[in-house]
Structure formats: structure tokens, C-alpha cells
Amino acid sequence: MRDWLFEILRSPCCREAMRTERAGNGAAQSLVCGRCDLQYPMTQDVPALIHVDHTWLQQLSELAAHHLHAAVSTGVEQDDLSSGARREADEQWIDGLARAVGRVLEELDFSHSPLVCDVGAGGCLTSALLAERGARVVATDMQRGFLCNPLDIETGRPLDALPDDKRELARQRLNRPPYRCDKVQAAAERLPFADRSFDIVFCRATLHHLRDLRQAVNEMSRILRVGGMFVACGEPFRSLLDSEGAYQQKQFDFLVGVNEHFPTLPTYLTALRGAGLGHIRVQSLHVMRSARLAGFAEWMAPGSPSEFEHTEFPPSRTLPLWLRAGGVNLVATKHRHVASPRAPAGPRLLDPCTLDGDREHLPEIRRALRRLKRGHRLPSLIHTGPARVPALSGGWHRPAGIAPGPKRARFTLPAAVCTLRAPPGAAHLLIEGRGFAHLTGQPTQGQVLVNDVPVGDFSLEDGQWTWLHFAVAPAEVILDVEIRTERAFVPDRYLNNGDRRSLGIAVSCIAVE
């Protein structure tokens, strides 16, 4: 870390200046809050300025979902996860997003080495592009694993995916000018920097992942100097005519529990204006008619960047922008400073080191989640059919209908999690499920875990609905039930979304009694 960065760092708990505690060899070992003396460790020169407290229910849920995403994808061939058409659409979206970022970078002034904060930097690919143009860049992300394992600037692939002879060269390239950037592990809702510290705040496909859009935008504006630029690239938006669920059910990340939101365009603009950002320019990347008017089409299908120009549905030219859907860049200038009030930080629930993306910390994250859920109303019986079931936290897909048998059911992905409240004296977990042996010719097998502890295996020999019984002795009132299944390939008539997913079982009911 460079010296100027230490000068603008503030503790995430108190917004106070921080002091450095050093090891015996003189190297910085941790940062300490100047008011409450809480320590924040530094690993691989990345300070973990994360304060996990009672406000972190959604953030911890997303971190757990990222682990679930990895579990679903590990060892599964790409052809098993999606159709070639979907993979092609994903690649087109990535290419379109790269063009959107390139377009904005051409408009920014880098002549005076501006200080840039890249919020939600992930693998730091955009951070490296900003640094290449002469900016002094601070990359932030909630997961240290992303920051410490950046993407290769040439290929855009993770360093671990490169051949051995190229991996070290790629790492050295990122750690030297012109691509070098400083990294800070931080949450967008509690940015650990002093007011008016940055000339540019940049985020790439970040806003739609945030738990609290207004709070995060307020924080980004707070650390931006008056006259500075705010840039958000590649943000999806939905039509005022449509419900968010119509878009979410098409997103694999959403199905495994990752925060995938689809705000309306006015929602974005209201958040920016409320944070003191003005002169807002909206650059449309891809615009289509609403799902209700045109029939749903993948919002991620890219078109060439254009100012409010339609690329897919010419007949919708007469529609106001608010009645369309698509993706946009948002570019704004800070014209006044607005305080970003926030509630005082509560007691620390987790050491920041547990948020490094390592799966071995998943049990700790889930224990903290169960503590946070104790104050929430949760059922002891779940019917999976209703459109919105908050207790189903990740790994579930709701089809239009399945037959024979109850239609109000959901499929699990190879790993799916739900949360129940155990009534007094509870001793049994019941799951009404159905496998796909009649389609695959093989039993659908798997395992059920409660609070990360295996409680039993199952094997469904046919396509009939069956009650699975498991004995449990809950030590906690809140129970995380995880269903892990071996792969079963299900044809599209059961999915209705053009994909061939690797699924588990169909579930209509889960109860603890």
C-alpha cells in the first residue's frame, strides 16, 4: 500500500482515522480504529476493513450463496450446466460490458492522475484498465479472495486458470506499472475512506447487486469530491410495467441466492440525485420493450452502445424509456456534498478474515447467519409453490408446472438451502420430494444436512412423490436445511427456459416437527 492511501483510510466502525500496528520486522500487520481500538488485519498487503454486525444479514447470505454457486459448478461440465445458446449469450454480454466500459473510459480525463475508487472491483480487471490510463486506483470488494486473485489483463481469465509458465508472469505484470493498483477489502455500504477523497468513483455491474442501493450510492458520493465523476457501467433495468420476478427467475445467480436485482431506471436516478449527484447522462447499451409488451427476452442480449437507440425492437421507438428494459451506463457529476448518515456499528459478529472466499469458513458464516435470523419470523413448514418464499435462500428453481403430481413445487439445483424455525420438542425433518429415475434410468440420490451436519441419505427409485424422514436433534432454534443431490439431467419441458440444467429433485413441502 502506498503512503497516501493510509492518509485517507477510516475505520468502518467509527469513521475515525486509523493507526498502524506493525510486526517485529516493521511490516504493517493490522490497522486499528483510533476510537474503539478494534483491529483490522492486513493479508497480502490488503487491509480487511470489514465490520460484520447486525446489519449484515443480506451480505452474509450473498457470501454463502457464492459458496453454493461454486459447489453447484465444481466438477460439472459446462455442457451440463447450460445450452450453447445461453453460453453464447453470456459471452456476448461480457463482450458488450467490456465495450461499455471502454466507451466511458474514453470520455474521462486522466491527464492529472486522478484518484479513483473502483467499488465492487472483483478480479480488478477494470482497476487495471483505469491504472493503465494513468489513474491512481483503489480497488474495493467485499471478498478478499477476488482482490488477491485478480484476472489476467490480457486474457480476462483468473490467474489460477493460466498455464504454470504464464501464471507468474501475469501476476508480476499486474503488480507493476502501469497496471498496479491498491486494494482494500470493504463493503459498498460502509466505505472506509474520508469524505471527498476521490476524483472518480467507478463501478462495473455493481449497483444491481447491492442490498441497499441508496445507502451505497450515498457512501460513494460521500467519498467523492465536489465536481468529481460518478460512473456506473453495465447496470440492468426493468420496465415500470414489469415485476422484478420475471427477470430474476431467468438468472442462474439469483437462483443460487446471489443478490440479483433489476431496479427501474427511475430508481437508479432517484438514488443518484438524492446523493447530491447531478448532470446525469444515461447511455443505453441495449434497450427492448417491456416483458409484458414484447414477451420476455433475455435482457443480457447486447447491442452496440448507443444513446437511447433501440437495437432489437424498432417498433418500440415511440415508448418512453421508463417503459423499456435493458442495460445502461450512468455518468454523473457531484454538485453538492450530502452527509451519509448511518447507524452506529454494532458488536462484531465475524473476524474479517473469514470473508476471504475460502469454503472452509462457510460454517462460520452460516452460524453468524443463524444468529441474525433468530429475530426474524420463519416457518416450521414450507410449501415451495408460492412465488415468493423467503425461507428458500438459494439453489431453487420454480418451473411453470410439473406433472404428474402437485404442480406447486420447485426443483433443487445440486445444492439447495432453506431455513426453518424448529418448534419446541422437534425431532423430525420431513421432505416431500420426487426424483427423475423415470427419465434418467438411474435412482436420484443425495444427502440432507441440518446446520452443516449430515442427518441422512436418500435414494428415489422412481418418479413418484415420496416423503423423506430424517431424525434431528436441533441444538438451535434456527435450522439451515441443505439438500445435496447427484446430477440428474432434466429435459427442457421441465425447465421452460431454453436450458438443460443439472438438477437435483423436485420438492413440494419441507417441515420440521
Side-chain angles (χ1 to χ4, degrees):
M1 288 179 57
R2 288 169 276 193
D3 292 339
W4 55 262
L5 181 53
F6 282 105
E7 296 176 4
I8 63 173
L9 288 179
R10 298 294 183 267
S11 68
C13 50
C14 302
R15 278 192 187 162
E16 294 293 322
M18 309 193 74
R19 66 177 189 272
T20 305
E21 284 198 354
R22 299 187 177 274
N25 59 5
Q29 186 176 29
S30 62
L31 298 175
V32 183
C33 175
R35 174 181 292 180
C36 62
D37 292 331
L38 273 179
Q39 292 190 351
Y40 295 89
M42 292 184 65
T43 306
Q44 299 183 37
D45 210 28
V46 178
L49 296 182
I50 291 279
H51 188 83
V52 181
D53 63 5
H54 62 284
T55 66
W56 269 66
L57 179 62
Q58 293 300 323
Q59 290 97 324
L60 290 182
S61 297
E62 174 149 356
L63 288 170
H66 279 290
H67 288 293
L68 183 64
H69 194 312
V72 171
S73 302
T74 299
V76 180
E77 295 296 330
Q78 185 66 32
D79 286 342
D80 297 342
L81 280 177
S82 64
S83 66
R86 170 58 66 89
R87 292 200 311 277
E88 183 179 352
D90 288 345
E91 292 171 359
Q92 287 179 337
W93 166 247
I94 293 172
D95 291 342
L97 184 57
R99 291 195 300 271
V101 172
R103 177 183 182 182
V104 172
L105 293 181
E106 291 176 359
E107 299 178 3
L108 298 178
D109 181 11
F110 294 96
S111 60
H112 297 92
S113 298
L115 186 54
V116 182
C117 184
D118 185 7
V119 180
C124 301
L125 188 58
T126 304
S127 302
L129 295 175
L130 289 162
E132 183 184 23
R133 285 161 172 77
R136 295 169 293 159
V137 183
V138 181
T140 72
D141 199 274
M142 190 167 61
Q143 290 199 65
R144 184 168 57 86
F146 288 145
L147 298 174
C148 293
N149 296 283
L151 300 176
D152 177 37
I153 189 66
E154 290 189 353
T155 64
R157 300 173 61 196
L159 297 185
D160 292 344
L162 298 179
D164 293 341
D165 59 333
K166 296 183 178 180
R167 186 179 308 142
E168 187 56 33
L169 290 175
R171 189 180 300 277
Q172 292 176 7
R173 181 166 55 239
L174 290 171
N175 289 330
R176 294 195 303 258
Y179 302 117
R180 179 189 172 189
C181 64
D182 291 280
K183 301 168 185 177
V184 175
Q185 184 184 2
E189 293 86 359
R190 287 183 182 266
L191 292 171
F193 305 107
D195 291 4
R196 307 177 183 90
S197 298
F198 293 90
D199 302 302
I200 300 172
V201 171
F202 201 102
C203 51
R204 170 177 174 162
T206 298
L207 297 185
H208 68 284
H209 285 292
L210 299 174
R211 174 187 61 89
D212 189 335
L213 176 62
R214 288 196 177 189
Q215 172 62 24
V217 172
N218 285 343
E219 278 287 275
M220 295 182 205
S221 178
R222 177 186 65 80
I223 66 172
L224 185 63
R225 67 170 176 81
V226 175
M229 299 295 296
F230 171 87
V231 180
C233 281
E235 298 296 345
F237 69 97
R238 61 181 169 89
S239 168
L240 288 174
L241 299 174
D242 301 327
S243 69
E244 194 170 37
Y247 298 82
Q248 289 173 328
Q249 287 299 320
K250 295 288 184 176
Q251 296 301 311
F252 181 62
D253 285 359
F254 172 79
L255 296 180
V256 296
V258 175
N259 284 332
E260 284 280 354
H261 302 293
F262 294 82
T264 62
L265 190 54
T267 301
Y268 285 124
L269 300 181
T270 300
L272 267 60
R273 289 169 180 150
L277 300 169
H279 306 294
I280 303 171
R281 290 187 294 123
V282 180
Q283 301 173 347
S284 72
L285 311 178
H286 167 73
V287 179
M288 65 182 188
R289 287 184 292 177
S290 77
R292 182 172 297 180
L293 291 179
F296 186 78
E298 296 294 345
W299 65 267
M300 66 174 63
S304 58
S306 57
E307 291 283 348
F308 301 104
E309 184 175 315
H310 296 270
T311 58
E312 293 265 331
F313 299 100
S316 67
R317 289 181 186 274
T318 58
L319 286 175
L321 187 65
W322 331 112
L323 303 185
R324 311 170 198 169
V328 291
N329 289 347
L330 300 169
V331 183
T333 303
K334 181 174 176 178
H335 60 82
R336 61 187 174 91
H337 187 71
V338 177
S340 176
R342 66 185 185 199
R348 178 186 281 177
L349 293 181
L350 282 175
D351 188 285
C353 291
T354 60
L355 309 184
D356 60 359
D358 194 329
R359 188 170 173 80
E360 70 179 24
H361 291 134
L362 181 57
E364 295 176 73
I365 293 173
R366 284 185 171 165
R367 281 195 293 271
L369 268 172
R370 288 193 287 272
R371 288 179 59 186
L372 294 177
K373 290 175 181 176
R374 287 174 186 168
H376 291 71
R377 296 181 62 182
L378 289 166
S380 58
L381 182 148
I382 300 172
H383 291 289
T384 66
R388 184 176 182 274
V389 185
L392 302 177
S393 53
W396 300 89
H397 172 69
R398 186 169 65 93
I402 56 177
K407 292 186 177 181
R408 298 174 64 82
R410 297 196 192 208
F411 293 121
T412 71
L413 298 178
V417 179
C418 64
T419 306
L420 301 96
R421 182 178 294 274
H428 298 280
L429 173 69
L430 308 176
I431 300 175
E432 186 182 26
R434 172 188 153 188
F436 299 98
H438 61 298
L439 298 174
T440 64
Q442 297 179 346
T444 302
Q445 299 176 327
Q447 183 182 50
V448 173
L449 298 86
V450 174
N451 292 351
D452 299 308
V453 177
V455 296
D457 301 326
F458 63 86
S459 179
L460 300 173
E461 307 289 338
D462 53 36
Q464 301 302 312
W465 290 95
T466 304
W467 280 100
L468 306 174
H469 297 257
F470 305 95
V472 295
E476 297 187 45
V477 175
I478 302 300
L479 304 182
D480 284 331
V481 177
E482 181 175 356
I483 303 172
R484 297 180 182 175
T485 52
E486 298 178 358
R487 288 180 290 171
F489 303 120
V490 183
D492 182 55
R493 64 190 176 92
Y494 286 87
L495 296 179
N496 303 301
N497 68 351
D499 282 356
R500 184 182 63 149
R501 291 282 185 202
S502 173
L503 300 184
I505 64 174
V507 174
S508 63
C509 183
I510 306 171
V512 57
E513 59 183 34

